[in-house]
Amino acid sequence: MKRYSFLELAKNAFSAHKNWGRQWRAPEPKAEYDVVIIGAGGHGLATAYYLAKEHGIRNVAVLEKGWLGGGNTGRNTTIVRSNYLWEESAALYNHAIGLWQGLSQELNYNVMYSARGVMMLAHTVHDVQVAQRHIHANRLAGVQNEWLTPEQAKDYCPPLNIKKDIRYPVMGAALQRVGGTARHDAVAWGYARGADDMGVDIIQNCLVTGIRRGADGAVEGVDTAKGFIKAKKVGVVAAGNTTTVMDMAGVRMPLESYPLQALVSEPVKPAFPCVVMSNTIHAYISQSDKGELVIGAGTDQFISYSQVGGIHITNHTIDAICELFPHFRRMRMLRNWGGIVDVTPDRSPILSKTPVQGLYVNCGWGTGGFKATPGSGHVFAHTIAKDEPHRINAPFTIDRFKTGRLIDEAAAAAVAH
Amino acid sequence: MLLVYCPYCQVERPETEFSCRGQAHIARPADPDTVSDEDWVEYLYLRDNTKGVYAERWRHIHGCGRFFNAVRHTVSDDFLAFYKAGEPMPDLDTLAKEAGK
């Protein structure tokens, strides 16, 4: 792998940047792999990367029905934070934060992680109490999070409207300074390049059509658009399409898939210093380095695989943005899109072995999987390599729906659902 | 935004008048005391989540307030049928064929 450096940049400048070369190969699938990962999004590629890097398992294929990073990895609002309520969740997302901090150096690829702070607004007495409970729980779990008065919130984010006469006045905010944003595509590309360099085959445009199981029930391999591929272990990391893929192995999943929307404005000069979220009036917003305001809306109320979503959902979010940030009222939106998110009954992900020997699943990230990408891949690789969960993802089994040990972030989450 | 037909009011109205309540025809166990853990998981948490033709419950919350069922294609979001609660589920394959899905 050609390492990227200032010297390389200078050298390539002399040839007008025309000779950088490919970042990863486009191989044909081999007949057999030790591990097949289904889904080349951020989580799937990170899993392959850590399988090769930390566990020495390099005979790995990542199969992708479209192009890598073309699903929810390329469709989210790029927010990174870890201020979840329960200790299980806080440990998982904080593990990811730890990895985010050194990820650009680790991958030799600029993922543009920017710890600009994530501020979550409180608009009612109930919001204030919930936010403060969160902050205390986070402090006890070793997760950074702090309380701001409306005036402090405005100091941190000057565009914020803290007037008392708006419909939902700001009564305070929880700020996680270590939270922020990262460049979503670069995360997928960086992991793809790193994994490919260690021998992982990333096979795009290769739809998985079946999962074969032997007489003993264990996984034998996968049928694909490019023929049968033998594998002793298969990891499913297919986000909104997880149910469809797991059905192929005869495993029913506690998931429902919804369209989640995002939109961006025309690019403008730097006008917005951090990430602001509000669950009560349902808005979240940040500004990309390119200058676009990146705005996240909610999910539709019905399951769908349409990758579109209803326009009234985005309008609802825009209404909230216009009230909180009146000077954005004349901004024009450039485009909007939807991604299909897989939601579990307790709104926590599943990173788990399955009832099928050799089949592993990483899903259920719902509306907030991007932030966990490095941590998710890291612990899922451990689960596949050792055939047992990492300490951090041990609570996130499928079995929890039978035992009742749910990780109930549904009402308690810091996320907007 | 979808247009939803209420079979009780017999009118088509915007989706915002309605609330979608998930997969239809999931019967509550008749005798909860005898149900195994696996069957509770099935009843409480497992859903078909079909990519294709799907029967789901809707409620006309800003109208008559009543529950009814609808069949919808979950990729195109086109509705194929609406029917009252208590009526049997139509044959989804036939509906899909008629609609050319």
Side-chain angles (χ1 to χ4, degrees):
Chain A
M1 180 172 78
K2 186 193 282 181
R3 281 189 69 79
Y4 296 150
S5 63
F6 181 73
L7 198 64
E8 278 295 318
L9 189 66
K11 258 168 45 189
N12 277 279
F14 288 107
S15 55
H17 298 291
K18 284 179 181 161
N19 299 317
W20 276 104
R22 293 182 72 108
Q23 297 190 13
W24 51 80
R25 300 162 295 132
E28 284 303 307
K30 291 189 269 185
E32 184 176 356
Y33 290 94
D34 292 339
V35 178
V36 163
I37 305 290
I38 302 174
H43 291 246
L45 292 165
T47 305
Y49 176 85
Y50 291 113
L51 273 173
K53 170 106 191 298
E54 308 241 318
H55 304 284
I57 301 174
R58 299 184 171 202
N59 186 24
V60 176
V62 187
L63 308 181
E64 168 57 48
K65 69 170 177 170
W67 64 94
L68 72 85
N72 294 349
T73 298
R75 292 165 184 268
N76 62 78
T77 50
T78 77
I79 296 168
V80 173
R81 61 182 181 83
S82 68
N83 50 350
Y84 281 69
L85 179 63
W86 300 110
E87 285 183 10
E88 295 90 339
S89 320
L92 180 60
Y93 292 101
N94 231 24
H95 183 52
I97 289 271
L99 291 169
W100 276 117
Q101 289 173 337
L103 196 59
S104 292
Q105 287 75 21
E106 158 92 27
L107 296 177
N108 180 232
Y109 207 96
N110 188 3
V111 300
M112 298 164 75
Y113 167 59
S114 156
R116 59 186 68 181
V118 173
M119 197 163 76
M120 307 179 78
L121 302 178
H123 303 275
T124 63
V125 172
H126 175 74
D127 277 0
V128 171
Q129 291 167 344
V130 168
Q132 296 199 342
R133 180 186 176 211
H134 251 97
I135 289 168
H136 292 313
N138 285 159
R139 201 185 65 230
L140 293 172
V143 176
Q144 191 264 320
N145 202 3
E146 66 193 90
W147 178 253
L148 302 182
T149 63
E151 291 71 28
Q152 287 169 326
K154 190 165 174 69
D155 275 349
Y156 195 75
C157 180
L160 183 65
N161 180 6
I162 57 165
K163 285 188 186 147
K164 302 289 181 205
D165 60 351
I166 61 174
R167 177 66 185 82
Y168 294 102
V170 175
M171 294 179 71
L175 173 67
Q176 187 176 35
R177 291 178 192 271
V178 74
T181 58
R183 172 93 167 94
H184 51 1
D185 294 326
V187 176
W189 297 337
Y191 275 122
R193 174 169 166 267
D196 179 85
D197 181 56
M198 291 183 284
V200 172
D201 284 352
I202 301 161
I203 300 157
Q204 303 181 72
N205 297 308
C206 183
L207 180 72
V208 171
T209 54
I211 296 176
R212 280 199 210 169
R213 295 171 60 182
D216 58 349
V219 162
E220 283 187 334
V222 293
D223 289 302
T224 74
K226 299 189 176 189
F228 177 67
I229 300 171
K230 206 171 158 195
K232 282 187 281 303
K233 291 181 176 180
V234 173
V236 177
V237 198
N241 289 298
T242 302
T243 303
T244 314
V245 176
M246 294 298 281
D247 278 348
M248 296 171 189
V251 179
R252 273 170 71 72
M253 296 297 294
L255 293 172
E256 291 189 293
S257 298
Y258 299 93
L260 176 71
Q261 292 183 79
L263 57 160
V264 293
S265 73
E266 57 194 339
V268 292
K269 285 187 174 178
F272 202 77
C274 59
V275 181
V276 173
M277 310 178 69
S278 165
N279 290 348
T280 300
I281 56 177
H282 211 139
Y284 41 113
I285 180 170
S286 62
Q287 188 174 20
S288 74
D289 290 354
K290 206 160 54 174
E292 300 154 323
L293 295 177
V294 183
I295 296 169
T299 58
D300 278 306
Q301 58 171 329
F302 46 82
I303 73 160
S304 177
Y305 294 83
S306 67
Q307 291 191 321
V308 180
I311 194 72
H312 62 291
I313 306 281
T314 43
N315 283 351
H316 179 67
T317 293
I318 294 292
D319 285 348
I321 298 282
C322 288
E323 184 163 88
L324 286 175
F325 308 104
H327 71 311
F328 290 151
R329 276 184 185 164
R330 291 168 66 193
M331 292 281 284
R332 280 164 296 190
M333 293 299 136
L334 267 192
R335 56 186 194 277
N336 71 324
W337 62 91
I340 305 304
V341 300
D342 44 328
V343 178
T344 58
D346 63 357
R347 303 312 198 258
S348 287
I350 297 169
L351 289 138
S352 176
K353 296 170 69 171
T354 68
V356 176
Q357 179 64 38
L359 184 67
Y360 306 84
V361 67
N362 178 349
C363 66
W365 291 95
T367 59
F370 174 73
K371 65 175 82 68
T373 305
S376 157
H378 188 257
V379 296
F380 193 53
H382 182 283
T383 308
I384 294 175
K386 310 276 188 206
D387 195 35
E388 61 179 30
H390 188 280
R391 168 180 59 79
I392 289 174
N393 68 312
F396 294 88
T397 60
I398 300 185
D399 276 350
R400 71 177 187 264
F401 297 99
K402 192 161 86 185
T403 61
R405 290 195 69 86
L406 304 184
I407 303 158
D408 189 9
E409 293 283 356
V415 286
H417 282 295
Chain B
M1 183 171 323
L2 307 183
L3 287 172
V4 182
Y5 177 82
C6 173
Y8 293 101
C9 302
Q10 302 192 348
V11 291
E12 195 176 55
R13 288 284 187 267
E15 176 201 327
T16 44
E17 271 192 27
F18 298 84
S19 160
C20 183
R21 299 298 176 89
Q23 190 176 343
H25 302 288
I26 296 175
R28 184 177 167 80
D31 182 4
D33 291 342
T34 60
V35 175
S36 68
D37 285 356
E38 284 72 20
D39 287 345
W40 272 123
V41 175
E42 178 71 33
Y43 168 69
L44 288 172
Y45 300 123
L46 301 186
R47 296 294 178 262
D48 289 343
N49 198 24
T50 309
K51 189 174 190 173
V53 179
Y54 196 56
E56 62 195 1
R57 300 192 309 157
W58 285 78
R59 189 177 174 209
H60 196 179
I61 44 167
H62 296 301
C64 63
R66 299 182 76 171
F67 279 93
F68 58 93
N69 295 327
V71 176
R72 186 172 53 88
H73 196 284
T74 60
V75 179
S76 67
D77 289 340
D78 288 335
F79 283 107
L80 307 181
F82 296 96
Y83 53 103
K84 293 176 181 173
E87 291 178 9
M89 178 160 65
D91 186 48
L92 299 185
D93 292 337
T94 314
L95 275 177
K97 262 189 213 129
E98 279 170 12
K101 300 287 178 191

